Amino acid sequence: MLNKTAFLLWLATCAISLNLPAYVWAGDVKLVSDTWDSVCRVEVAWGPDAPGGDQVEFFYEVQRDWSITKADKLCYRRASTPDNCDSGMTQWNTRWRCATNANAEVEQLSLQ
């Protein structure tokens, strides 16, 4: 009976883990603002489908030493001119920069 119970517990654990997204076990990516004193606007996307997914945030007046951490994959783009929010954030002006982390450690990405 014990072997049957252990087997069923193992089977349930496997079934549950297969339904969880892979990025749950991935490490974190930390975006750090260390290049300029201030960037007027930064767009951050994260998750396995980034930058094409639905998880996007905008941040304004990002100061030096600001950071944000997200699991698995983090992408960002900024205004093409850091001190001019009207300078555009299109794919042609500033391309997405991404970092992916499959390790348990934190990977750092510099806001450039």
Side-chain angles (χ1 to χ4, degrees), residues 27-34 44-46 65-76 97-101 105-112:
D28 290 338
V29 179
K30 181 177 185 179
L31 176 62
V32 180
S33 175
D34 58 359
V44 176
W46 69 94
D65 296 327
W66 172 88
S67 68
I68 187 169
T69 303
K70 297 292 183 182
D72 180 43
K73 182 178 183 184
L74 183 148
C75 299
Y76 83 89
R97 294 179 191 258
C98 299
T100 303
N101 190 355
E105 300 173 6
V106 176
E107 165 119 5
Q108 224 170 281
L109 176 63
S110 178
L111 176 63
Q112 300 179 16

Side-chain angles (χ1 to χ4, degrees), residues 42-54:
V42 177
E43 183 177 0
V44 176
W46 69 94
D49 297 329
D54 295 334

Side-chain angles (χ1 to χ4, degrees), residues 32-93:
V32 180
S33 175
D34 58 359
T35 307
W36 293 287
D37 290 331
S38 178
V39 177
C40 69
R41 188 170 81 178
V42 177
E43 183 177 0
V44 176
W46 69 94
D49 297 329
D54 295 334
Q55 299 173 321
V56 177
E57 289 181 80
F58 290 92
F59 299 92
Y60 298 92
E61 298 306 322
V62 173
Q63 300 299 312
R64 182 181 294 274
D65 296 327
W66 172 88
S67 68
I68 187 169
T69 303
K70 297 292 183 182
D72 180 43
K73 182 178 183 184
L74 183 148
C75 299
Y76 83 89
R77 63 183 175 180
R78 60 166 177 80
S80 59
T81 305
D83 60 350
N84 181 1
C85 284
D86 294 327
S87 62
M89 292 182 73
T90 66
Q91 187 65 18
W92 299 274
N93 290 345

Side-chain angles (χ1 to χ4, degrees), residues 1-11:
M1 185 68 170
L2 182 59
N3 286 341
K4 186 176 181 181
T5 304
F7 175 74
L8 289 175
L9 185 59
W10 174 81
L11 187 62

